[in-house]
Amino acid sequence: MPLGKLAPHIAQLAGFGFSILTTPELGFSKGSYKPVPLESAEQLVRVFDEGVAKVRGALLSAPDEAWKESWKLSFQGKALFSGSRFLAYRQMYLNHLVHHRAQLGVYLRLNGKPVPSIYGPSADETLGF
């Protein structure tokens, strides 16, 4: 995925986590998904932070039983995912976010930019880059 699409996609993913927590399904062909344009790094951070705040609120208000409920992702009537909300959140959102953040780290490395901490100090931070 080109960097110009990857960065906005990552910024927008928190909204996907919110959808998983607050809706029974998401159909991509229903036209509710609009990709965020790449305007600036500050804009992408703002979009990400806003999405994180929404998903955090939804997590805090979600009852335990909600994790067992069914959730579905579809495109043009075909199920891309169908399972519990817990699996959707873990596989479709968290794993998806981790995957794309790793891709972003590769882009940073290839472009000579320092890789920030993700799960602890990065080599750039410990080596003083």
Side-chain angles (χ1 to χ4, degrees):
M1 181 181 294
L3 181 57
K5 288 186 179 184
L6 178 63
H9 183 60
I10 293 169
Q12 198 169 21
L13 273 175
F16 183 53
F18 180 77
S19 293
I20 292 170
L21 291 171
T22 60
T23 65
E25 68 178 282
L26 178 63
F28 280 131
S29 58
K30 294 180 182 174
S32 61
Y33 174 76
K34 302 273 189 274
V36 170
L38 172 58
E39 295 169 5
S40 68
E42 295 78 19
Q43 169 250 0
L44 294 180
V45 170
R46 186 178 62 254
V47 168
F48 183 78
D49 287 346
E50 290 168 357
V52 167
K54 286 174 62 177
V55 80
R56 184 174 288 135
L59 277 169
L60 291 171
S61 65
D64 290 345
E65 309 82 55
W67 294 103
K68 296 176 185 173
E69 295 173 358
S70 294
W71 194 83
K72 182 179 170 184
L73 177 66
S74 63
F75 179 70
Q76 296 180 342
K78 294 183 179 184
L80 302 174
F81 173 90
S82 183
S84 71
R85 180 171 278 125
F86 172 80
L87 286 177
Y89 193 82
R90 188 184 77 197
Q91 294 176 348
M92 302 301 295
Y93 170 55
L94 292 177
N95 291 358
H96 191 169
L97 182 59
V98 168
H99 165 74
H100 286 314
R101 281 190 58 171
Q103 286 179 312
L104 184 57
V106 171
Y107 271 113
L108 292 172
R109 175 68 67 225
L110 291 173
N111 285 285
K113 304 295 182 192
V115 178
S117 170
I118 295 175
Y119 298 111
S122 73
D124 292 339
E125 293 172 328
T126 58
L127 297 175
F129 292 112

